[in-house]
Amino acid sequence: MKTAIILGATGLTGSILLYRLIEDDSFDKIKLFSRSSAGKNSPKVEEHLIDLFQLEKHSKDFTADVVFCCIGTTKAKTPDDETYRKIDYGIPVSAAKLAKENGIKSFIVISALDANENSRIFYNRTKGEMERDVLKQRIEKTYILQPALIDGDRNESRFGEKIAGIVMKAFGFLIPKKYKVIKAEIIAQAMLILAKEGYSEKCITSDKIKEIAA
């Protein structure tokens, strides 16, 4: 029986992953670190409602077999670059450092396709720097998922992503596999399989995420 930590369990992919972990007999405890409650009434779930920007203060409780990091925001939701970086870079890297310190051997984080620490695009550069510094922790089983546009029923409206999704679906036959829209359910399923079975590569693009989840 395993213990899992989820960061971002109230988001689209994180909430689906939480449901799957509750239903999975391989896990008997699921620790949630977030600002607000995920609202799941299960004896498996242990919630820690904290300031995620101060995650290091909760090292004593940050123990598990695997960490799932589903944290992420958008420029529309977080227009301030400094705050955006604290979320998309700071939280995952702090979590990876804690995981290393506490001997957690599996760390699975959602990044983005075309993440690149040398990119001129702030979003891609931030994700690339996050990937670089997560990998620096040398956690035994580190998996960085690099999905394309994520499809699913969100609690928030993302007009730009909605339009992009419609266009990409309409012209899907012209789009290379790794750039095709990917459903949040597929990402969650792949994360669960990675935690159980592992994979030969550390950075996993959309097309390979779909293969793992199939």
Side-chain angles (χ1 to χ4, degrees):
M1 302 292 282
K2 296 182 178 181
T3 296
I5 287 173
I6 303 180
L7 299 166
T10 58
L12 175 59
T13 306
S15 62
I16 297 169
L17 177 62
L18 173 56
Y19 174 79
R20 290 179 182 267
L21 287 170
I22 290 172
E23 295 296 309
D24 194 311
D25 291 336
S26 301
F27 293 85
D28 64 344
K29 183 180 286 189
I30 308 156
K31 297 181 179 181
L32 309 182
F33 289 81
S34 57
R35 292 177 299 172
S36 56
S37 175
K40 289 291 184 183
N41 185 21
S42 167
K44 286 187 176 185
V45 175
E46 178 183 297
E47 290 198 293
H48 298 264
L49 302 183
I50 65 167
D51 179 356
L52 289 172
F53 294 153
Q54 298 182 340
L55 188 60
E56 66 280 356
K57 292 184 178 181
H58 303 273
S59 175
K60 182 179 69 173
D61 297 312
F62 205 86
T63 56
D65 298 286
V66 56
V67 175
F68 297 101
C69 187
C70 306
I71 289 289
T73 187
T74 64
K75 287 293 289 180
K77 188 176 180 180
T78 312
D80 178 69
D81 284 356
E82 183 178 352
T83 304
Y84 183 99
R85 182 175 171 79
K86 286 172 70 176
I87 296 170
D88 272 41
Y89 169 87
I91 295 172
V93 172
S94 293
K97 288 179 179 178
L98 277 183
K100 181 66 174 181
E101 290 171 9
N102 290 347
I104 300 173
K105 297 188 180 300
S106 186
F107 189 88
I108 303 170
V109 58
I110 299 175
S111 180
L113 199 64
D114 293 332
N116 183 342
E117 64 180 293
N118 298 312
S119 176
R120 293 182 179 181
I121 301 171
F122 177 74
Y123 175 83
N124 292 351
R125 186 171 66 252
T126 300
K127 290 290 190 183
E129 290 170 345
M130 179 273 287
E131 292 184 3
R132 177 198 66 200
D133 291 344
V134 164
L135 289 170
K136 277 184 181 178
Q137 307 312 310
R138 299 188 181 277
I139 297 168
E140 184 177 334
K141 297 178 180 178
T142 300
Y143 302 110
I144 296 173
L145 278 66
Q146 299 170 324
L149 187 66
I150 301 174
D151 184 29
D153 295 325
R154 301 181 186 272
N155 292 327
E156 60 188 277
S157 177
R158 295 185 178 182
F159 181 74
E161 289 188 8
K162 189 175 293 185
I163 296 300
I166 292 170
V167 172
M168 290 176 76
K169 286 177 183 177
F171 296 95
F173 63 96
L174 297 173
I175 300 171
K177 285 185 178 180
K178 74 174 184 178
Y179 290 101
K180 290 180 182 289
V181 173
I182 184 168
K183 290 188 175 295
E185 289 85 352
I186 291 174
I187 299 172
Q189 176 67 6
M191 295 179 87
L192 186 54
I193 291 171
L194 287 168
K196 291 181 174 183
E197 302 177 12
Y199 194 64
S200 58
E201 300 175 32
K202 292 188 179 295
C203 295
I204 308 169
T205 53
S206 264
D207 50 331
K208 294 176 181 178
I209 294 171
K210 291 176 183 177
E211 289 176 4
I212 292 168

